[in-house]
């Protein structure tokens, strides 16, 4: 994500602040639309709000375009594009099987989902009662994190943010924050630190693993889109690249109107992918050395502290004994928590964009 300030930021910020959508007589601010869409259970209502959101984006796109043109070109990432493509191929079966399951819960068939439906899924409100401020604060103390960072809003996303709120912007600090953030999907942490009921743990771990995989694949899609974005000044092609590339990787229809909005609205894809893969490698080593409850072990915490002090990714990799950023530990961790692929009727369902078959 490009973050340099330009003279075009203020007009766009003002437009986003002042924009409203009138829905059934209610005036809803643009900034509140995402939350409202995610909270809306009825698909027809959700799509109505979503259409208003897209309409606002279209109205603001001239301002988005002016800001985009005024910003310097992004520095080329050191991430290996071929390795990212290997990740998408290797994770395709698990991802599309899980996506299909969660869409089915909304009464939506695979291939018909919009970004609004993805927002609805990732909200995960069914588990909110387990992530109240008091419960999360207690779990953070058990994890060695600062309980004062706990959000009063509750919910699993707030708990994830609180776990990832330690100060620092270096690669090491970012990777360690990502490591702690995804303890929310760790069955051992859920049982021993948070105290989630045993019959809820596997279902929530499956859900969190799916969201994690969705976010990583979305970042890969945006990364690939950004690689193409600089190759043309034609907005029509840029819009098509965004909708086509990111939609293909995620299996979710992306609105062309969001082709520039996405550059600031979603976390910087290269940075997100780097810290996600580093966090996966760190977690694998910690579990191997200290067990599944490594977060409660003083020696493991000391190792994490040293990794958090690393200035860059190469320093983290050197401490881990890796030569390069590797996506495989991350995918292994996600796979161990995606437990929903077993159908119980003669074997697992293998699901890809081409369809579903039994093995």
């Amino acid at each position: 994500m490009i973050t340099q300030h330009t003279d075009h930021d203020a007009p766009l910020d003002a437009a986003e602040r002042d924009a409203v959508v009138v829905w059934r007589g209610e005036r809803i601010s643009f900034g509140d639309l995402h939350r409202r869409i995610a909270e809306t259970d009825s698909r027809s209502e959700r799509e109505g709000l979503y259409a208003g959101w897209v309409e606002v984006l279209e109205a603001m796109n001239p301002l988005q375009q002016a800001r985009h043109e005024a910003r310097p070109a992004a520095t080329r990432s050191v991430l290996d594009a071929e390795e990212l493509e290997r990740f998408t191929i290797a994770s395709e079966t698990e991802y599309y099987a899980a996506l299909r399951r969660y869409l089915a819960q909304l009464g939506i068939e695979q291939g018909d989902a919009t970004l609004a439906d993805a927002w609805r899924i990732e909200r995960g409100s069914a588990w909110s009662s387990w992530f109240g401020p008091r419960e999360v604060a207690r779990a953070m103390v058990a994890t060695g994190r600062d309980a004062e960072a706990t959000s009063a809003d509750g919910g699993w996303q707030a708990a994830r943010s609180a776990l990832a709120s330690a100060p620092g912007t270096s690669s090491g600090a970012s990777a360690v924050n990502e490591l702690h953030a995804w303890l929310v999907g760790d069955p051992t942490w859920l049982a021993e630190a948070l105290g989630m009921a045993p019959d809820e743990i596997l279902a929530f771990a499956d859900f969190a693993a799916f969201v994690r995989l969705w976010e990583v694949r979305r970042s890969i899609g945006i990364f690939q889109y950004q690689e193409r974005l600089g190759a043309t000044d034609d907005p029509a092609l840029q819009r098509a690249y965004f909708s086509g590339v990111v939609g293909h990787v995620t299996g979710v229809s992306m609105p062309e109107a969001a082709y520039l909005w996405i550059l600031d609205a979603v976390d910087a894809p290269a940075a997100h992918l780097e810290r996600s893969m580093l966090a996966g490698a760190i977690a694998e080593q910690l579990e191997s050395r200290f067990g599944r409850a490594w977060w409660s072990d003083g020696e493991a915490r000391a190792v994490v502290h040293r990794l958090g002090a690393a200035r860059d990714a190469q320093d983290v990799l050197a401490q881990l004994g890796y030569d390069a950023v590797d996506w495989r530990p991350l995918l292994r961790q996600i796979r161990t928590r995606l437990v929903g692929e077993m159908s119980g009727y003669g074997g697992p369902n293998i699901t890809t964009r081409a369809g579903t078959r039994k093995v």
Side-chain angles (χ1 to χ4, degrees):
M1 180 167 57
I2 306 168
T3 58
Q4 291 93 336
H5 178 80
T6 76
D7 292 339
H8 298 279
D9 289 323
L12 183 56
D13 291 343
E16 291 182 350
R17 183 178 60 250
D18 297 340
V20 296
V21 168
V22 179
W23 176 250
R24 302 196 185 283
E26 180 185 1
R27 293 172 62 85
I28 305 171
S29 69
F30 177 74
D32 201 36
L33 269 174
H34 185 154
R35 179 188 62 82
R36 287 289 299 273
I37 291 167
E39 288 178 348
T40 302
D41 188 48
S42 165
R43 194 184 192 196
S44 61
E45 294 280 310
R46 191 165 62 245
E47 288 299 314
L49 289 167
Y50 182 60
W53 179 79
V54 171
E55 185 177 347
V56 172
L57 286 185
E58 287 287 22
M60 292 192 297
N61 268 335
L63 293 174
Q64 290 276 15
Q65 186 67 38
R67 181 168 69 176
H68 174 67
E69 292 174 353
R71 283 177 165 173
T75 304
R76 188 172 182 83
S77 172
V78 296
L79 287 174
D80 189 324
E82 290 185 4
E83 285 299 311
L84 295 181
E85 182 63 22
R86 290 188 181 98
F87 178 94
T88 62
I89 294 170
S91 64
E92 183 171 289
T93 292
E94 295 87 353
Y95 176 73
Y96 279 95
L99 176 64
R100 178 178 149 176
R101 285 190 289 108
Y102 283 104
L103 287 174
Q105 292 178 15
L106 301 181
I108 301 170
E109 293 187 4
Q110 185 176 315
D112 293 335
T114 67
L115 183 56
D117 300 321
W119 289 348
R120 176 62 181 166
I121 291 171
E122 66 181 340
R123 180 170 175 78
S125 57
W127 290 280
S128 294
S129 61
W130 293 107
F131 292 93
R134 186 178 305 172
E135 292 79 7
V136 173
R138 184 182 65 245
M140 290 183 68
V141 170
T143 312
R145 302 297 269 180
D146 182 7
E148 293 183 2
T150 306
S151 170
D153 295 333
W156 82 275
Q157 293 278 21
R160 180 173 72 154
S161 296
L163 284 162
S165 62
T169 58
S170 67
S171 291
S174 296
V176 165
N177 272 337
E178 186 78 2
L179 169 76
H180 283 97
W182 282 108
L183 284 174
V184 295
D186 184 320
T188 303
W189 185 88
L190 291 168
E192 298 182 12
L194 189 69
M196 182 177 280
D199 59 350
E200 295 270 18
I201 289 174
L202 288 182
F204 179 76
D206 174 90
F207 163 76
F210 166 70
V211 173
R212 191 177 189 182
L213 187 52
W214 145 260
E215 290 182 355
V216 171
R217 289 180 66 99
R218 181 183 61 187
S219 285
I220 291 174
I222 297 171
F223 178 86
Q224 293 173 339
Y225 159 61
Q226 286 181 318
E227 293 283 286
R228 296 190 180 191
L229 186 62
T232 178
D233 294 327
D234 184 349
L237 279 177
Q238 293 173 340
R239 292 163 67 101
Y241 284 152
F242 167 68
S243 180
V245 172
V246 183
H248 174 76
V249 174
T250 62
V252 172
S253 175
M254 294 287 165
E256 288 190 359
Y259 79 112
L260 295 176
W261 169 86
I262 199 72
L263 301 178
D264 290 306
V266 175
D267 197 8
H272 175 231
L273 292 168
E274 179 184 280
R275 70 172 181 267
S276 295
M277 293 175 191
L278 290 175
I282 294 171
E284 188 169 80
Q285 288 209 7
L286 290 172
E287 288 190 9
S288 176
R289 292 179 60 186
F290 304 105
R292 294 188 182 277
W294 60 264
W295 37 268
S296 64
D297 185 287
E299 187 177 349
R301 290 180 183 178
V303 171
V304 171
H305 180 74
R306 289 195 295 272
L307 288 165
R311 293 173 299 176
D312 54 34
Q314 292 304 316
D315 192 1
V316 176
L317 292 170
Q319 292 189 49
L320 295 174
Y322 278 83
D323 295 326
V325 176
D326 188 357
W327 51 264
R328 292 164 185 82
L330 171 63
L331 184 54
R332 282 194 290 267
Q333 188 176 70
I334 290 171
R335 280 174 169 165
T336 63
R337 298 175 185 176
L338 274 175
V339 298
E341 314 323 321
M342 300 302 292
S343 69
Y345 298 97
N349 287 329
I350 298 301
T351 308
T352 68
R353 286 186 291 267
T356 303
R357 62 182 175 85
K358 294 284 188 184
V359 295

